[in-house]
Coordinates of all heavy atoms in Angstrom, one line a residue:
F1 N -14.8 12.2 5.0 CA -15.3 11.5 4.0 C -14.3 11.3 2.9 O -13.3 11.8 2.9 CB -16.6 12.1 3.3 CG -16.1 13.4 2.3 CD1 -16.0 13.1 1.0 CD2 -16.1 14.6 2.8 CE1 -15.7 14.0 0.1 CE2 -15.6 15.5 2.1 CZ -15.5 15.3 0.7
R2 N -14.6 10.2 2.1 CA -13.6 9.9 1.0 C -14.4 9.8 -0.3 O -15.7 9.5 -0.4 CB -13.0 8.5 1.1 CG -12.1 8.4 2.3 CD -11.4 6.9 2.2 NE -10.8 6.9 3.6 CZ -10.4 5.8 4.0 NH1 -10.8 4.6 3.6 NH2 -9.7 5.7 5.2
A3 N -13.8 10.1 -1.3 CA -14.3 9.9 -2.7 C -13.5 8.9 -3.4 O -12.4 9.3 -3.7 CB -14.5 11.3 -3.4
L4 N -14.0 7.7 -3.7 CA -13.3 6.7 -4.4 C -14.2 6.3 -5.7 O -15.4 5.9 -5.5 CB -13.0 5.6 -3.6 CG -12.0 5.7 -2.4 CD1 -12.0 4.4 -1.6 CD2 -10.6 6.1 -3.0
N5 N -13.5 6.5 -6.8 CA -14.2 6.0 -8.0 C -15.7 6.6 -8.2 O -16.6 6.0 -8.4 CB -14.3 4.4 -8.1 CG -12.9 3.8 -8.1 OD1 -12.0 4.3 -8.6 ND2 -12.9 2.7 -7.5
G6 N -15.8 7.9 -7.8 CA -17.0 8.6 -7.9 C -18.0 8.3 -6.8 O -19.1 8.8 -6.8
E7 N -17.7 7.5 -5.8 CA -18.5 7.3 -4.8 C -18.0 8.0 -3.5 O -16.9 8.0 -3.2 CB -18.6 5.7 -4.5 CG -19.4 5.3 -3.3 CD -19.5 3.8 -3.3 OE1 -18.9 3.0 -4.1 OE2 -19.9 3.4 -2.1
I8 N -19.1 8.6 -2.8 CA -18.7 9.2 -1.5 C -19.0 8.2 -0.5 O -20.0 7.8 -0.3 CB -19.4 10.6 -1.5 CG1 -18.9 11.6 -2.6 CG2 -19.2 11.1 0.0 CD1 -19.6 12.8 -2.5
I9 N -17.9 8.2 0.5 CA -18.1 7.2 1.5 C -17.8 8.2 2.9 O -16.7 8.8 3.0 CB -16.9 6.2 1.6 CG1 -17.1 5.3 0.2 CG2 -16.9 5.2 2.7 CD1 -15.8 4.4 0.0
V10 N -18.9 8.1 3.7 CA -18.7 8.8 5.0 C -18.4 7.8 6.1 O -19.2 6.7 6.3 CB -20.1 9.5 5.2 CG1 -20.0 10.2 6.7 CG2 -20.4 10.4 4.2
K11 N -17.4 8.1 6.9 CA -16.9 7.2 7.9 C -16.4 7.9 9.0 O -15.5 8.8 8.8 CB -16.0 6.2 7.3 CG -15.5 5.2 8.3 CD -14.5 4.2 7.6 CE -13.9 3.1 8.5 NZ -13.0 2.3 7.9
E12 N -16.7 7.6 10.2 CA -16.0 8.4 11.4 C -14.6 7.7 11.6 O -14.5 6.4 11.6 CB -16.9 8.2 12.6 CG -16.4 9.1 13.8 CD -17.3 8.9 15.0 OE1 -18.5 8.8 14.9 OE2 -16.8 8.9 16.1
L13 N -13.7 8.6 11.8 CA -12.3 8.1 11.9 C -11.7 8.6 13.3 O -12.0 9.7 13.7 CB -11.4 8.8 10.8 CG -11.6 8.4 9.2 CD1 -10.8 9.2 8.4 CD2 -11.6 6.9 9.2
K14 N -10.9 7.7 13.8 CA -10.2 8.0 15.0 C -8.9 8.4 14.6 O -8.0 7.8 13.9 CB -10.0 6.9 16.0 CG -9.2 7.1 17.2 CD -9.1 5.9 18.1 CE -8.2 6.2 19.3 NZ -6.9 6.7 19.1
L15 N -8.4 9.8 14.8 CA -7.2 10.3 14.3 C -6.1 10.0 15.3 O -6.2 10.0 16.5 CB -7.3 11.7 14.2 CG -8.2 12.2 13.1 CD1 -8.4 13.8 13.1 CD2 -7.9 11.7 11.7
P16 N -4.9 9.5 14.9 CA -3.8 9.2 15.8 C -3.2 10.6 16.3 O -3.5 11.7 15.7 CB -2.8 8.5 14.6 CG -3.2 9.0 13.4 CD -4.7 9.3 13.4
D17 N -2.4 10.4 17.2 CA -1.7 11.6 17.8 C -0.9 12.4 16.8 O -0.8 13.5 16.8 CB -0.9 11.2 19.0 CG -1.7 10.7 20.1 OD1 -2.8 11.0 20.2 OD2 -1.2 9.8 20.9
E18 N -0.3 11.6 15.9 CA 0.7 12.2 14.9 C 0.2 11.6 13.5 O 0.1 10.5 13.5 CB 2.2 11.9 15.1 CG 2.7 12.7 16.4 CD 4.3 12.3 16.5 OE1 5.1 12.8 15.7 OE2 4.6 11.5 17.3
P19 N 0.3 12.4 12.5 CA 0.2 11.8 11.1 C 1.4 10.8 10.8 O 2.3 10.9 11.2 CB 0.4 12.9 10.1 CG 0.2 14.1 11.0 CD 0.6 13.8 12.3
S20 N 0.8 9.7 10.2 CA 1.8 8.5 9.9 C 3.0 9.0 9.0 O 4.1 8.5 9.2 CB 1.2 7.3 9.2 OG 0.7 7.8 8.1
W21 N 2.8 10.0 8.2 CA 4.0 10.5 7.5 C 5.1 11.1 8.2 O 6.2 11.1 7.8 CB 3.5 11.4 6.2 CG 2.8 12.6 6.8 CD1 1.5 12.9 6.9 CD2 3.4 13.9 7.1 NE1 1.2 14.1 7.4 CE2 2.3 14.8 7.4 CE3 4.7 14.3 7.2 CZ2 2.6 16.0 7.9 CZ3 5.0 15.6 7.6 CH2 3.9 16.5 7.9
M22 N 4.6 11.6 9.4 CA 5.7 12.3 10.3 C 6.6 11.1 10.9 O 7.5 11.4 11.4 CB 5.0 13.1 11.3 CG 4.4 14.4 10.8 SD 3.7 15.4 12.1 CE 5.3 16.1 12.9
L23 N 5.9 9.9 10.9 CA 6.6 8.8 11.6 C 7.4 7.9 10.4 O 7.8 7.0 10.7 CB 5.6 7.9 12.3 CG 4.9 8.5 13.5 CD1 3.8 7.7 13.9 CD2 5.9 9.0 14.5
N24 N 7.3 8.6 9.2 CA 8.0 7.9 8.1 C 7.4 6.6 7.6 O 8.0 5.6 7.3 CB 9.5 7.7 8.4 CG 10.4 8.2 7.3 OD1 10.0 8.9 6.4 ND2 11.7 7.8 7.3
E25 N 6.0 6.8 7.6 CA 5.3 5.5 7.1 C 4.0 6.0 6.4 O 3.6 7.2 6.7 CB 5.0 4.6 8.2 CG 4.1 5.1 9.3 CD 3.8 4.0 10.3 OE1 4.7 3.2 10.7 OE2 2.7 4.0 11.0
S26 N 3.5 5.3 5.6 CA 2.1 5.4 5.0 C 1.1 4.5 5.5 O 1.4 3.1 5.7 CB 2.3 5.3 3.5 OG 3.1 6.2 2.9
S27 N 0.0 5.0 6.0 CA -1.1 4.1 6.5 C -2.2 4.3 5.7 O -2.6 5.3 5.0 CB -1.3 4.6 8.0 OG -0.3 4.4 8.8
F28 N -3.0 3.1 5.7 CA -4.3 3.0 4.9 C -5.4 2.3 5.8 O -5.1 1.4 6.6 CB -4.1 2.1 3.7 CG -2.8 2.6 2.9 CD1 -1.6 2.2 3.0 CD2 -3.0 3.5 1.9 CE1 -0.5 2.7 2.4 CE2 -1.9 3.9 1.2 CZ -0.7 3.6 1.4
S29 N -6.6 2.8 5.6 CA -7.8 2.2 6.2 C -8.8 1.9 5.2 O -9.5 2.9 4.7 CB -8.2 3.1 7.3 OG -9.4 2.5 7.9
S30 N -9.0 0.7 5.0 CA -10.1 0.3 4.0 C -9.9 1.0 2.6 O -10.9 1.5 2.0 CB -11.4 0.4 4.4 OG -11.7 -0.4 5.6
M31 N -8.6 1.0 2.1 CA -8.3 1.6 0.8 C -8.2 0.4 -0.4 O -7.6 -0.5 0.0 CB -7.1 2.3 0.9 CG -7.2 3.7 1.7 SD -8.4 4.9 1.0 CE -7.5 5.4 -0.5
P32 N -8.5 0.7 -1.5 CA -8.2 -0.2 -2.6 C -6.7 -0.5 -2.7 O -6.0 0.5 -2.6 CB -8.8 0.4 -3.8 CG -9.9 1.3 -3.4 CD -9.4 1.8 -2.0
Y33 N -6.5 -1.7 -2.8 CA -5.0 -2.1 -2.9 C -4.2 -1.3 -4.0 O -3.0 -1.1 -3.8 CB -4.9 -3.6 -3.2 CG -3.5 -4.1 -2.9 CD1 -3.1 -4.1 -1.6 CD2 -2.7 -4.9 -3.7 CE1 -1.9 -4.6 -1.3 CE2 -1.6 -5.4 -3.4 CZ -1.0 -5.3 -2.3 OH 0.1 -5.8 -1.9
A34 N -4.9 -1.0 -5.1 CA -4.1 -0.2 -6.1 C -3.7 1.2 -5.7 O -2.4 1.5 -5.9 CB -5.1 0.1 -7.2
Y35 N -4.3 1.8 -4.6 CA -3.8 3.1 -3.9 C -2.5 2.8 -3.2 O -1.6 3.5 -3.1 CB -4.9 3.6 -3.1 CG -6.0 4.3 -3.9 CD1 -6.9 3.5 -4.3 CD2 -6.0 5.7 -4.2 CE1 -8.1 4.1 -5.2 CE2 -7.0 6.3 -4.9 CZ -8.0 5.4 -5.4 OH -9.1 6.0 -6.0
V36 N -2.5 1.6 -2.5 CA -1.3 1.2 -1.7 C -0.1 1.0 -2.6 O 1.0 1.5 -2.3 CB -1.8 0.0 -0.9 CG1 -0.4 -0.5 -0.1 CG2 -2.8 0.1 0.0
I37 N -0.3 0.3 -3.7 CA 0.7 0.1 -4.7 C 1.1 1.3 -5.3 O 2.4 1.6 -5.2 CB 0.2 -0.8 -5.7 CG1 -0.1 -2.2 -5.3 CG2 1.2 -0.8 -7.0 CD1 -0.7 -3.2 -6.3
D38 N 0.3 2.5 -5.5 CA 0.8 3.6 -6.0 C 1.6 4.4 -5.1 O 2.6 5.0 -5.4 CB -0.5 4.5 -6.4 CG -1.3 4.1 -7.6 OD1 -0.7 3.1 -8.4 OD2 -2.4 4.4 -7.8
E39 N 1.3 4.3 -3.8 CA 1.9 5.0 -2.8 C 3.4 4.3 -2.6 O 4.3 5.2 -2.3 CB 1.2 5.0 -1.5 CG 1.9 5.7 -0.4 CD 2.2 7.2 -0.6 OE1 1.7 7.8 -1.5 OE2 2.9 7.9 0.3
L40 N 3.5 3.1 -2.6 CA 4.8 2.4 -2.4 C 5.7 2.6 -3.6 O 6.8 3.0 -3.5 CB 4.6 0.9 -2.4 CG 5.9 0.2 -1.8 CD1 5.6 -0.6 -0.6 CD2 6.5 -0.7 -2.9
E41 N 5.1 2.7 -4.9 CA 5.9 3.2 -6.0 C 6.4 4.6 -5.8 O 7.5 4.8 -6.1 CB 5.0 3.1 -7.2 CG 4.7 1.7 -7.8 CD 3.8 1.7 -9.0 OE1 2.9 2.6 -9.0 OE2 4.1 0.9 -9.8
R42 N 5.6 5.5 -5.4 CA 6.0 6.9 -5.2 C 7.1 7.0 -4.2 O 8.0 7.7 -4.3 CB 4.8 7.7 -4.7 CG 5.1 9.2 -4.7 CD 3.7 10.0 -4.4 NE 3.3 10.0 -2.9 CZ 4.1 10.6 -2.0 NH1 4.9 11.4 -2.3 NH2 3.6 10.5 -0.8
Q43 N 6.9 6.3 -2.9 CA 7.8 6.5 -1.8 C 9.3 5.8 -2.2 O 10.2 6.4 -1.7 CB 7.3 5.6 -0.6 CG 6.1 6.5 0.1 CD 6.6 7.8 0.7 OE1 7.7 8.1 1.0 NE2 5.6 8.7 0.6
Y44 N 9.3 4.9 -3.0 CA 10.5 4.1 -3.2 C 11.0 4.3 -4.6 O 12.0 3.7 -5.0 CB 10.3 2.6 -3.0 CG 10.3 2.3 -1.4 CD1 9.1 2.3 -0.9 CD2 11.5 2.3 -0.8 CE1 9.1 2.0 0.6 CE2 11.5 2.0 0.6 CZ 10.2 1.9 1.3 OH 10.3 1.6 2.5
D45 N 10.2 5.1 -5.5 CA 10.7 5.4 -6.8 C 11.0 4.1 -7.5 O 12.0 3.9 -8.1 CB 11.9 6.4 -6.8 CG 12.2 6.8 -8.3 OD1 11.3 6.9 -9.0 OD2 13.5 7.1 -8.6
T46 N 10.0 3.3 -7.6 CA 10.1 2.1 -8.2 C 8.8 1.8 -9.1 O 7.9 2.5 -9.0 CB 10.3 0.9 -7.2 OG1 10.6 -0.3 -7.9 CG2 9.1 0.7 -6.4
E47 N 8.8 0.7 -9.9 CA 7.6 0.3 -10.6 C 7.2 -1.1 -10.0 O 8.0 -2.0 -9.9 CB 8.0 0.2 -12.2 CG 6.8 -0.3 -13.0 CD 7.3 -0.5 -14.4 OE1 8.4 -0.2 -14.8 OE2 6.4 -0.9 -15.2
I48 N 5.9 -1.2 -9.9 CA 5.3 -2.4 -9.4 C 4.3 -3.0 -10.5 O 3.5 -2.3 -11.0 CB 4.6 -2.2 -8.1 CG1 5.6 -1.8 -7.0 CG2 3.9 -3.5 -7.6 CD1 4.9 -1.5 -5.7
K49 N 4.6 -4.2 -10.8 CA 3.7 -4.9 -11.6 C 3.0 -6.0 -10.9 O 3.6 -6.7 -9.9 CB 4.6 -5.7 -12.8 CG 5.3 -4.7 -13.6 CD 6.2 -5.3 -14.7 CE 7.0 -4.3 -15.4 NZ 8.0 -4.8 -16.3
T50 N 1.9 -6.4 -11.3 CA 1.0 -7.4 -10.6 C 0.6 -8.5 -11.5 O 0.4 -8.3 -12.7 CB -0.3 -6.7 -9.9 OG1 -1.0 -6.3 -11.1 CG2 0.1 -5.7 -9.0
K51 N 0.6 -9.7 -11.0 CA 0.1 -10.9 -11.6 C -0.9 -11.6 -10.7 O -0.6 -12.0 -9.6 CB 1.3 -11.9 -11.9 CG 2.3 -11.3 -13.0 CD 3.4 -12.3 -13.3 CE 4.4 -11.7 -14.2 NZ 5.5 -12.6 -14.4
S52 N -2.1 -11.7 -11.2 CA -3.1 -12.4 -10.5 C -3.4 -11.8 -9.1 O -3.5 -12.4 -8.1 CB -2.8 -13.9 -10.3 OG -2.7 -14.5 -11.5
V53 N -3.3 -10.5 -9.1 CA -3.6 -9.7 -7.9 C -4.9 -8.8 -8.0 O -5.0 -8.1 -9.1 CB -2.4 -8.9 -7.6 CG1 -2.8 -7.9 -6.2 CG2 -1.1 -9.7 -7.3
N54 N -5.9 -8.9 -7.2 CA -7.1 -8.2 -7.2 C -6.8 -6.8 -6.6 O -6.8 -6.7 -5.4 CB -8.2 -8.9 -6.5 CG -9.5 -8.2 -6.6 OD1 -9.6 -7.1 -7.0 ND2 -10.6 -8.8 -6.0
T55 N -6.5 -5.9 -7.3 CA -6.2 -4.6 -6.9 C -7.2 -3.7 -6.4 O -7.0 -2.6 -5.8 CB -5.3 -3.7 -7.8 OG1 -6.1 -3.5 -9.1 CG2 -4.0 -4.4 -8.3
S56 N -8.5 -4.2 -6.4 CA -9.7 -3.5 -5.9 C -10.0 -4.0 -4.5 O -10.8 -3.4 -3.7 CB -11.0 -3.8 -6.9 OG -11.3 -5.0 -6.8
L57 N -9.4 -5.0 -4.0 CA -9.5 -5.5 -2.6 C -9.0 -4.3 -1.6 O -8.1 -3.6 -1.8 CB -8.6 -6.6 -2.3 CG -9.0 -8.0 -2.7 CD1 -7.9 -9.0 -2.5 CD2 -10.3 -8.4 -2.3
L58 N -9.9 -4.3 -0.5 CA -9.6 -3.2 0.4 C -8.6 -3.6 1.4 O -8.4 -4.7 1.9 CB -10.9 -2.9 1.3 CG -12.0 -2.3 0.4 CD1 -13.2 -2.0 1.3 CD2 -11.7 -1.1 -0.5
F59 N -7.7 -2.7 1.7 CA -6.4 -2.9 2.4 C -6.4 -2.0 3.7 O -6.6 -0.8 3.5 CB -5.1 -2.7 1.6 CG -3.8 -2.9 2.4 CD1 -3.3 -4.2 2.5 CD2 -3.1 -1.8 3.0 CE1 -2.1 -4.4 3.2 CE2 -2.0 -2.0 3.7 CZ -1.5 -3.3 3.8
T60 N -6.1 -2.5 4.8 CA -5.9 -1.6 6.1 C -4.5 -2.1 6.6 O -4.3 -3.3 6.9 CB -7.0 -2.0 7.1 OG1 -8.2 -1.6 6.5 CG2 -6.7 -1.1 8.4
G61 N -3.7 -1.1 6.7 CA -2.3 -1.4 7.3 C -1.5 -0.2 7.0 O -1.9 0.8 6.6
S62 N -0.2 -0.5 7.1 CA 0.8 0.6 6.9 C 2.2 0.0 6.4 O 2.4 -1.2 6.4 CB 1.1 1.4 8.1 OG 1.6 0.6 9.1
F63 N 3.1 0.9 5.8 CA 4.4 0.5 5.5 C 5.3 1.7 5.7 O 4.9 2.7 5.7 CB 4.6 0.0 4.0 CG 4.4 1.0 3.0 CD1 5.3 1.9 2.6 CD2 3.0 1.2 2.4 CE1 5.1 2.8 1.5 CE2 2.9 2.0 1.3 CZ 3.9 2.9 0.9
V64 N 6.6 1.2 6.0 CA 7.6 2.1 6.3 C 8.2 2.7 5.1 O 8.2 2.1 4.1 CB 8.7 1.6 7.4 CG1 8.1 1.2 8.6 CG2 9.4 0.3 6.6
H65 N 8.9 3.9 5.1 CA 9.5 4.5 4.0 C 10.9 4.3 3.9 O 11.6 4.8 3.0 CB 9.2 6.0 4.2 CG 7.8 6.5 4.0 ND1 7.4 7.7 4.3 CD2 6.7 5.7 3.7 CE1 6.1 7.7 4.1 NE2 5.6 6.5 3.7
D66 N 11.6 3.6 4.8 CA 13.0 3.6 4.9 C 13.6 2.0 4.8 O 14.7 1.8 5.0 CB 13.6 4.1 6.2 CG 13.0 3.7 7.5 OD1 12.2 2.8 7.4 OD2 13.5 4.1 8.5
D67 N 12.6 1.2 4.4 CA 13.2 -0.3 4.3 C 12.2 -1.1 3.3 O 11.1 -1.4 3.6 CB 13.1 -0.9 5.7 CG 13.7 -2.4 5.8 OD1 13.6 -3.0 4.7 OD2 14.1 -2.8 6.8
L68 N 12.6 -1.1 2.0 CA 11.9 -1.7 1.1 C 11.4 -3.1 1.4 O 10.3 -3.5 1.1 CB 12.6 -1.6 -0.2 CG 11.7 -2.1 -1.6 CD1 10.4 -1.5 -1.7 CD2 12.6 -2.0 -2.8
E69 N 12.4 -4.0 1.8 CA 12.0 -5.3 2.2 C 10.7 -5.4 3.1 O 9.9 -6.1 3.0 CB 13.1 -6.1 2.6 CG 14.1 -6.4 1.6 CD 13.7 -7.5 0.6 OE1 12.8 -8.5 1.0 OE2 14.3 -7.7 -0.5
L70 N 10.9 -4.6 4.2 CA 10.0 -4.6 5.3 C 8.6 -3.9 4.7 O 7.6 -4.5 5.2 CB 10.6 -3.7 6.5 CG 9.6 -3.8 7.7 CD1 9.5 -5.2 8.3 CD2 10.4 -2.9 8.8
A71 N 8.7 -3.0 3.9 CA 7.5 -2.5 3.3 C 6.7 -3.4 2.5 O 5.5 -3.6 2.5 CB 7.8 -1.1 2.4
L72 N 7.5 -4.2 1.6 CA 6.9 -5.1 0.9 C 6.2 -6.3 1.7 O 5.2 -6.9 1.3 CB 7.9 -5.7 -0.1 CG 8.3 -4.8 -1.2 CD1 9.5 -5.4 -2.0 CD2 7.2 -4.7 -2.3
K73 N 6.9 -6.7 2.7 CA 6.3 -7.8 3.6 C 5.0 -7.3 4.2 O 4.1 -8.0 4.4 CB 7.3 -8.1 4.7 CG 8.4 -9.0 4.1 CD 9.5 -9.3 5.2 CE 10.6 -10.0 4.5 NZ 11.7 -10.3 5.5
A74 N 5.0 -6.0 4.5 CA 3.8 -5.4 5.3 C 2.6 -5.3 4.3 O 1.5 -5.4 4.8 CB 4.2 -3.9 5.8
I75 N 2.9 -5.1 2.9 CA 1.6 -5.0 2.1 C 1.4 -6.4 1.4 O 0.3 -6.5 0.8 CB 1.9 -3.9 1.0 CG1 2.9 -4.3 0.0 CG2 2.1 -2.5 1.7 CD1 2.9 -3.4 -1.3
T76 N 2.1 -7.2 1.4 CA 2.0 -8.6 0.8 C 1.5 -9.7 1.6 O 0.7 -10.6 1.3 CB 3.2 -9.1 -0.1 OG1 4.3 -9.3 0.9 CG2 3.6 -8.2 -1.1
G77 N 2.0 -9.7 2.9 CA 1.7 -10.7 3.8 C 0.2 -10.8 4.2 O -0.4 -11.9 4.1
P78 N -0.6 -9.7 4.4 CA -1.9 -9.8 4.8 C -2.9 -10.4 3.6 O -3.7 -10.9 3.9 CB -2.3 -8.4 5.1 CG -1.0 -7.7 5.5 CD 0.0 -8.4 4.7
L79 N -2.3 -10.2 2.4 CA -3.1 -10.7 1.2 C -2.5 -12.0 0.5 O -2.9 -12.4 -0.4 CB -3.2 -9.6 0.2 CG -3.8 -8.4 0.6 CD1 -3.7 -7.4 -0.6 CD2 -5.3 -8.6 1.0
N80 N -1.6 -12.5 1.4 CA -0.9 -13.9 0.9 C -0.3 -13.7 -0.5 O -0.5 -14.6 -1.3 CB -1.9 -14.9 0.9 CG -1.8 -15.9 2.1 OD1 -0.8 -15.8 2.8 ND2 -2.8 -16.7 2.4
L81 N 0.3 -12.6 -0.8 CA 1.0 -12.3 -2.1 C 2.4 -12.6 -2.0 O 3.0 -12.6 -0.8 CB 0.7 -10.9 -2.4 CG -0.7 -10.5 -2.6 CD1 -0.7 -8.9 -3.0 CD2 -1.5 -11.2 -3.6
Q82 N 3.1 -13.1 -3.0 CA 4.5 -13.2 -3.2 C 5.1 -11.8 -3.8 O 4.4 -11.2 -4.7 CB 4.9 -14.4 -4.0 CG 4.2 -15.8 -3.3 CD 4.7 -15.9 -2.0 OE1 5.9 -15.9 -1.6 NE2 3.8 -16.3 -1.0
Y83 N 6.3 -11.6 -3.6 CA 6.9 -10.5 -4.3 C 8.4 -11.0 -4.8 O 8.9 -11.8 -4.1 CB 7.1 -9.2 -3.5 CG 7.9 -9.3 -2.2 CD1 9.3 -9.0 -2.4 CD2 7.5 -9.7 -1.1 CE1 10.1 -9.0 -1.3 CE2 8.2 -9.6 0.0 CZ 9.7 -9.3 -0.1 OH 10.5 -9.3 1.1
A84 N 8.8 -10.3 -5.9 CA 10.2 -10.5 -6.3 C 10.7 -9.2 -6.9 O 10.0 -8.4 -7.4 CB 10.3 -11.5 -7.4
I85 N 11.9 -8.8 -6.5 CA 12.6 -7.6 -7.0 C 13.5 -7.9 -8.1 O 14.3 -8.8 -7.9 CB 13.5 -6.9 -5.8 CG1 12.4 -6.6 -4.6 CG2 14.1 -5.6 -6.2 CD1 13.1 -6.2 -3.5
Q86 N 13.1 -7.3 -9.2 CA 14.1 -7.6 -10.5 C 14.4 -6.2 -11.0 O 13.8 -5.4 -11.5 CB 13.2 -8.1 -11.5 CG 12.7 -9.6 -11.1 CD 11.9 -10.2 -12.1 OE1 11.4 -9.7 -13.0 NE2 11.5 -11.5 -11.9
D87 N 15.8 -5.9 -10.7 CA 16.4 -4.6 -11.2 C 15.5 -3.6 -10.4 O 15.6 -3.6 -9.1 CB 16.3 -4.4 -12.7 CG 17.0 -5.3 -13.5 OD1 18.2 -5.8 -13.0 OD2 16.6 -5.8 -14.6
K88 N 14.9 -2.5 -11.1 CA 14.3 -1.5 -10.3 C 12.7 -1.8 -10.2 O 12.0 -1.0 -9.7 CB 14.5 -0.3 -11.0 CG 14.2 0.9 -10.2 CD 14.7 2.2 -10.7 CE 14.1 3.4 -10.0 NZ 14.9 4.1 -9.1
A89 N 12.3 -3.0 -10.8 CA 10.9 -3.3 -10.8 C 10.7 -4.4 -9.8 O 11.5 -5.1 -9.4 CB 10.5 -3.8 -12.1
I90 N 9.4 -4.3 -9.3 CA 8.8 -5.3 -8.3 C 7.7 -6.0 -8.9 O 6.8 -5.4 -9.5 CB 8.4 -4.6 -7.0 CG1 9.6 -3.9 -6.4 CG2 7.8 -5.5 -6.0 CD1 9.4 -2.9 -5.2
I91 N 7.6 -7.3 -8.8 CA 6.6 -8.1 -9.3 C 5.8 -8.7 -8.0 O 6.4 -9.4 -7.1 CB 7.0 -9.3 -10.1 CG1 8.1 -8.8 -11.1 CG2 5.9 -10.1 -10.6 CD1 7.7 -7.9 -12.2
L92 N 4.5 -8.4 -7.9 CA 3.7 -8.9 -6.9 C 2.7 -10.0 -7.7 O 2.2 -9.8 -8.6 CB 2.7 -7.9 -6.3 CG 3.3 -6.6 -5.7 CD1 2.2 -5.6 -5.1 CD2 4.4 -7.1 -4.6
T93 N 2.8 -11.2 -7.1 CA 2.1 -12.3 -7.5 C 1.1 -12.9 -6.5 O 1.4 -13.2 -5.4 CB 3.1 -13.4 -7.9 OG1 4.0 -12.8 -8.7 CG2 2.4 -14.6 -8.6
G94 N -0.1 -13.1 -7.0 CA -1.2 -13.7 -6.2 C -1.4 -15.2 -6.6 O -0.6 -15.6 -7.5
E95 N -2.4 -15.8 -6.1 CA -2.6 -17.3 -6.4 C -3.5 -17.2 -7.7 O -4.3 -16.4 -7.9 CB -3.5 -17.9 -5.3 CG -2.6 -18.0 -4.0 CD -3.5 -18.7 -2.9 OE1 -4.6 -19.1 -3.0 OE2 -3.0 -18.8 -1.8
N96 N -3.2 -18.2 -8.5 CA -3.9 -18.3 -9.8 C -5.2 -18.9 -9.6 O -5.5 -19.8 -8.8 CB -3.0 -19.1 -10.8 CG -1.8 -18.5 -11.2 OD1 -1.8 -17.2 -11.2 ND2 -0.8 -19.2 -11.5

């Protein structure tokens, strides 16, 4: 089960052979996009700002921990978002 925003969600999960963190990646299944952003910030020690991005949308996917560009493509492509890296900050932009 999961507890998100005070709501308990019960769902049967198929577990992979190895946890994704052992493969140097973070994986998500129907998680609010805000959690994905938080994890990417933590893994890459960066700050992410959003413009016109619905961070409550549910995201299913993964990103690697050793290639920031590839990780950004993995989390922005499915939602049609653009990204820009400025110094140590990352800007994610959605459609207006």
Side-chain angles (χ1 to χ4, degrees):
F1 78 95
R2 291 186 188 157
L4 291 174
N5 301 323
E7 181 181 346
I8 294 180
I9 301 167
V10 178
K11 182 177 178 183
E12 187 174 325
L13 298 175
K14 180 185 178 300
L15 298 175
D17 294 335
E18 294 182 70
S20 63
W21 60 266
M22 288 185 72
L23 301 172
N24 228 12
E25 66 180 34
S26 294
S27 295
F28 307 89
S29 178
S30 298
M31 292 294 290
Y33 197 62
Y35 288 81
V36 178
I37 291 171
D38 289 344
E39 179 64 8
L40 193 124
E41 286 178 322
R42 188 178 75 78
Q43 289 297 330
Y44 286 96
D45 189 28
T46 191
E47 179 185 357
I48 297 177
K49 299 176 184 176
T50 61
K51 293 181 182 177
S52 301
V53 176
N54 181 352
T55 58
S56 65
L57 285 175
L58 298 182
F59 179 87
T60 296
S62 62
F63 67 82
V64 296
H65 297 167
D66 58 0
D67 185 332
L68 179 58
E69 288 281 340
L70 187 58
L72 287 168
K73 288 177 184 175
I75 70 161
T76 57
L79 298 178
N80 261 348
L81 303 177
Q82 303 298 315
Y83 68 88
I85 301 172
Q86 299 175 349
D87 299 320
K88 197 168 167 112
I90 297 167
I91 313 295
L92 301 182
T93 309
E95 295 180 4
N96 292 329

